[in-house]
Amino acid sequence: ALDSFLRDLFPLNQVMYAIHIDIHTGLGPRGEDTLIVQTSKQPNDTLEKQICASDPNSLERLDFVYTVPTAKPQQDTIAYTMLGGVAETALHVLFPKSKNAIQTARFVQEFGTEPPLAVLRALRNEAALIRHCATHHLPLPSPEHPIRKRIAHVFAPTNDSLWTTKVIDRGLAFFHQAVTFLLQHTGGK
């Protein structure tokens, strides 16, 4: 359904660039974002680096995860290796045999919420609750259960208007940066 909708909306045989921004929450400094890119290329050779180059603030937040087998584990980063995902699937469905070489950029924009151990503790408690319910053939408790409320808060602290504002502002700013890049490199088409 999505592919036919997009094919009707856009002349996909003329697409030159595809940019996918996947929003995640949980890891990193509260309300700050890290732009994670998984690549086997050198950073300067990526479309993602070109997109971020127009804003020094984006370059500072850019974090590469290397998928080459010889890559050493990275230190001092929240970046993590991603296995598959919506972006890869969507790009293969939308552009299976494109006549043009489509340049793709895939970002995970990870927004921090709480310290890593607090996130891990909430995840562990949720897993224990699910395991307990499954073992005893019980339904999952309502979203008002303290463990379920905690996990929701860890990934979306909606009672914190400053966090919400920063996430929306930084998310929109990066989205506009990506669109500006596309417009500059496609002549506005």
Side-chain angles (χ1 to χ4, degrees):
L2 176 61
D3 60 332
S4 61
F5 169 76
L6 290 174
R7 288 178 207 283
D8 291 344
L9 192 60
F10 301 108
L12 296 180
N13 61 341
Q14 297 176 23
V15 171
M16 297 167 47
Y17 296 96
I19 299 174
H20 180 265
I21 304 170
D22 192 2
I23 308 297
H24 288 219
T25 60
L27 300 176
R30 187 174 186 85
E32 302 299 317
D33 61 327
T34 301
L35 300 170
I36 303 171
V37 175
Q38 183 167 316
T39 184
S40 59
K41 299 177 184 177
Q42 291 299 314
N44 290 334
D45 297 335
T46 65
L47 181 59
E48 291 87 354
K49 179 84 177 246
Q50 293 174 38
I51 292 168
C52 290
S54 65
D55 179 8
N57 188 33
S58 290
L59 280 176
E60 286 178 18
R61 298 182 343 254
L62 193 58
D63 205 347
F64 288 90
V65 175
Y66 299 100
T67 56
V68 292
T70 57
K72 294 180 182 176
Q74 291 143 278
Q75 304 295 319
D76 300 324
T77 178
I78 68 157
Y80 46 89
T81 301
M82 298 158 275
L83 302 173
V86 174
E88 293 82 5
T89 304
L91 293 175
H92 289 294
V93 168
L94 293 174
F95 313 111
K97 296 178 183 172
S98 177
K99 294 176 183 168
N100 302 325
I102 298 170
Q103 295 186 55
T104 61
R106 295 183 308 264
F107 294 93
V108 171
Q109 190 172 19
E110 178 83 38
F111 289 94
T113 56
E114 295 196 14
L117 288 178
V119 174
L120 182 62
R121 185 176 302 115
L123 286 168
R124 186 192 65 205
N125 290 342
E126 181 194 38
L129 176 66
I130 292 169
R131 201 169 33 257
H132 171 78
C133 291
T135 301
H136 298 286
H137 307 289
L138 300 171
L140 280 177
S142 79
E144 295 306 310
H145 186 280
I147 290 174
R148 297 204 53 208
K149 284 176 77 168
R150 178 71 181 130
I151 196 75
H153 177 77
V154 162
F155 289 103
T158 54
N159 61 342
D160 183 344
S161 61
L162 179 60
W163 181 87
T164 303
T165 299
K166 285 179 81 173
V167 167
I168 291 170
D169 289 349
R170 291 175 79 101
L172 285 174
F174 186 64
F175 174 78
H176 288 292
Q177 183 177 341
V179 169
T180 299
F181 174 88
L182 287 175
L183 292 173
Q184 290 171 345
H185 287 82
T186 62
K189 296 180 183 178

